[in-house]
Structure formats: structure tokens, C-alpha cells
């Protein structure tokens, strides 16, 4: 089955710097890659996603890139702010599949 | 639209008791997914249900755990004879159609503590 690995597990950056979180997946049939943000004690919330027919997608300060050949995708956050501090999860799913497989999460700290 | 509603938000059970977690999907949604999040860990798929049918329960432990989504009413995740290792946050998500190729809207979760 699909397996998603996520690095780093913890990331600390200075406010205003960029943060990059990387994920790899195992099933080459995976075609949908969402990213979720989870603040302490709250539900995971979808922040951005990318499909396999697209190499990059941007939404204001966040962007995702996808390399299908290498089977890895990344989340980029620019001009980080303290409110970006949270746990971020990458995920992958296959066409027609019934479940989304999540990475283990990256705890991002943005220091003011 | 009230979103995905889960209750209770917090549930405390003694070892050996039963826990019932409820999930009401978004209006018009007939597909429900349950995920478990152990402390400091990621989300693990448990089960996917449509109304009156279990479609994929490959992530659910074979014993003590069961799930249903009746024609009327919320989806129920039931854990019998709870043990300390069942302590976790349980999240559900819903969708209007089947398949996992879209982003989930999660409920607020039920935080189960087994004492």
C-alpha cells in the first residue's frame, strides 16, 4: 500500500524566513497530494493541494511542488509569521482509492 | 452549513467500558471517513463508510472496534472494552461522493481518554 514519509519532524525558523517541508510517497499511482495544517488541540485543515498533472501551485505565501519522477512533493512557506506555527501534514491518495495516507507531520515553530 | 459535527468533544472512559463516538456529516454528504490520531503522531485511516455500507475497514483493529453509518442518523464509531492504548483523538471527515481525490473537511474530533 501507499506509504508517505515526511521530513523534518521539527522545524524552527525566524519570523520572515522561509520554511520547506518535504515528503516522499511510494505508490507511483498516487495522483492527489493535499497539505493540512493543525493548530494545537484543533482539527486538521486543508491549506493547499496539488494534482499529478501539475508541477507547482501557489497560494499567497504558500506553494507546493511535485516531482512525479522522484515521487516527492514539498510545501514552501515564505515570509513566515508566528501564526504559521503549527503541525503540517502531507498526504497522498490514489485514483479511485478510498483513503488518504498521511505523513507523520512536521512541527513548525516560527520565532518572533 | 454546519460542517462536520462530532460529539462528544471529550470522552473519558475507564478501562473495560465502551466508547461511542458520533459523526454527523455535512449536509448532502453520504460518505464518512474515520481517522485516529495518537498523541504526537499523524492521522491513521480507520474506516470508510457510505450510508448503510462499510466500504473499506482496512485500518480498523479487528477486535473491539466497529463502525456504522445508518440510513438515518450519524455515523458511530464504537470501541468496546477500551484500553489505555485507545486514548487518542478520533476525527471524521465527510464527502458528497466516494474516493479520496479531494481535500477533507474534518470535524473537531473526539478526544478519548481511557483511565
Amino acid at each position: 500500500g501507499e506509504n508517505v514519509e515526511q521530513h523534518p519532524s521539527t522545524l524552527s525558523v525566524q519570523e520572515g524566513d522561509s520554511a520547506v517541508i518535504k515528503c516522499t510517497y511510494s505508490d507511483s499511482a498516487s495522483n492527489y497530494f493535499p497539505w493540512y495544517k493543525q493548530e494545537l488541540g484543533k482539527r486538521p485543515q486543508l491549506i493547499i493541494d496539488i494534482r499529478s498533472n501539475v508541477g507547482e501551485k501557489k497560494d499567497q505565501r504558500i506553494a507546493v511542488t511535485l516531482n512525479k519522477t522522484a515521487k516527492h512533493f514539498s510545501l514552501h512557506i515564505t515570509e513566515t509569521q508566528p501564526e504559521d506555527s503549527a503541525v503540517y501534514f502531507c498526504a497522498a491518495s490514489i485514483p479511485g482509492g478510498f483513503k488518504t495516507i498521511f505523513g507523520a507531520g512536521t512541527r513548525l515553530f516560527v520565532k518572533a | 452549513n454546519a460542517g462536520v459535527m462530532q460529539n462528544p468533544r471529550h470522552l473519558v472512559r475507564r478501562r473495560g467500558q465502551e466508547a461511542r463516538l458520533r459523526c454527523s456529516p455535512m449536509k448532502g454528504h453520504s460518505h464518512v471517513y474515520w481517522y485516529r490520531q495518537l498523541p504526537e503522531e499523524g492521522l491513521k485511516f480507520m474506516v470508510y463508510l457510505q450510508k448503510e455500507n462499510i466500504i473499506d475497514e482496512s485500518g480498523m483493529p479487528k477486535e473491539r472496534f466497529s463502525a456504522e453509518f445508518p440510513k438515518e442518523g450519524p455515523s458511530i464509531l464504537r470501541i468496546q472494552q477500551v484500553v489505555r492504548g485507545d486514548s487518542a483523538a478520533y476525527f471524521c471527515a465527510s464527502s458528497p461522493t466516494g474516493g479520496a481525490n479531494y481535500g477533507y473537511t474534518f470535524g473537531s474530533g473526539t478526544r478519548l481518554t481511557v483511565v
Side-chain angles (χ1 to χ4, degrees), chain A residues 32 36 43 51 97 99-100 107, chain B residues 40 58 100-101 103-104 108:
Chain A
Y32 178 65
Y36 292 82
R43 75 187 81 186
R51 297 189 184 274
K99 56 193 173 190
T100 296
R107 189 173 298 277
Chain B
E40 304 295 317
S58 58
N101 298 125
Y104 289 145
S108 296

Side-chain angles (χ1 to χ4, degrees), chain B residues 6-56:
Chain B
Q6 287 188 251
N7 66 83
R9 290 291 303 274
H10 300 275
L11 182 61
V12 179
R13 284 288 178 265
R14 295 185 183 281
R15 282 178 292 169
Q17 291 184 320
E18 178 180 288
R20 281 183 177 242
L21 288 61
R22 297 176 200 80
C23 171
S24 295
M26 291 178 70
K27 188 176 180 180
H29 289 193
S30 58
H31 301 253
V32 166
Y33 308 82
W34 284 94
Y35 281 77
R36 176 164 67 174
Q37 185 175 34
L38 294 169
E40 304 295 317
E41 292 191 13
L43 293 144
K44 300 295 185 187
F45 169 80
M46 298 184 74
V47 61
Y48 160 49
L49 309 103
Q50 292 178 24
K51 285 278 187 183
E52 301 184 275
N53 285 303
I54 296 174
I55 306 303
D56 183 345

Side-chain angles (χ1 to χ4, degrees), chain A residues 80-106:
Chain A
T80 54
Q81 301 166 4
E83 50 265 39
D84 294 330
S85 296
V87 179
Y88 292 81
F89 294 98
C90 62
S93 65
I94 61 174
F98 299 126
K99 56 193 173 190
T100 296
I101 304 301
F102 287 79
T106 295

